[in-house]
Amino acid sequence: MTSHKTPQTMKPATAAKKLGVYLEATPAEFQEGVVSRTELNTLQSDPPEWLQELRRTGPHPRPVVAAKLGISIAGLARGGVSEALTTEQIDALKENCPEWLRRERATQAEVRKETVRIKEKAAERTDQPRRPRS
């Protein structure tokens, strides 16, 4: 007797998240169906025109918007950005660079510095030989 493996599938929201696109901007057939692991791999390796266009112009989901602006998702919320933005809107924010964006970028830079400091400190600890307890 052979066992039939059922293909691994995911909800459209999960697939959109893995593809880095805003679900509501995807075609209806994508939103209404399920996506198999094989289909997801195909979309990633050979994206159709609609996916290429979404990645190029948006609207982009919050994680992508935050990354393009160089801030955290929480920073977006603090700045009052709660909806998906297009590439054009993101570029306009970068160009105008409002005070909240400057502040959030500075905060993000401090977080990155602190992360590096902690990693270096941890690396120093692992490099030091341990003394036996007496």
Side-chain angles (χ1 to χ4, degrees), residues 54-106:
L54 265 181
R55 287 177 169 167
R56 193 172 30 255
T57 62
H60 303 287
R62 287 180 308 149
V64 174
V65 173
K68 287 179 178 272
L69 291 174
I71 62 175
S72 67
I73 295 172
L76 278 179
R78 286 189 293 269
V81 178
S82 58
E83 71 281 349
L85 299 179
T86 64
T87 300
E88 190 176 302
Q89 291 169 314
I90 293 168
D91 290 343
L93 272 174
K94 284 180 178 177
E95 193 174 306
N96 297 335
C97 203
E99 178 57 35
W100 70 265
L101 182 55
R102 281 193 291 276
R103 192 173 49 250
E104 291 302 331
R105 283 180 168 173

Side-chain angles (χ1 to χ4, degrees), residues 112-127:
R112 287 186 187 114
K113 273 194 237 177
E114 182 64 8
T115 301
V116 168
R117 186 190 68 77
I118 291 169
K119 282 183 182 179
E120 287 172 350
K121 190 173 181 178
E124 286 174 13
R125 272 193 241 129
T126 58
D127 288 344

Side-chain angles (χ1 to χ4, degrees), residues 10-13 15 23-36 39 43 48-51:
M10 62 194 81
K11 294 177 182 176
L23 178 63
E24 286 76 13
T26 61
E29 60 269 10
F30 181 86
Q31 292 179 38
E32 295 164 1
V34 293
V35 180
S36 71
E39 290 169 330
L43 287 169
E49 182 57 39
W50 66 264
L51 182 54

Side-chain angles (χ1 to χ4, degrees), residues 15-29:
K17 187 174 184 179
K18 289 179 181 287
L19 292 169
V21 295
Y22 187 57
L23 178 63
E24 286 76 13
T26 61
E29 60 269 10

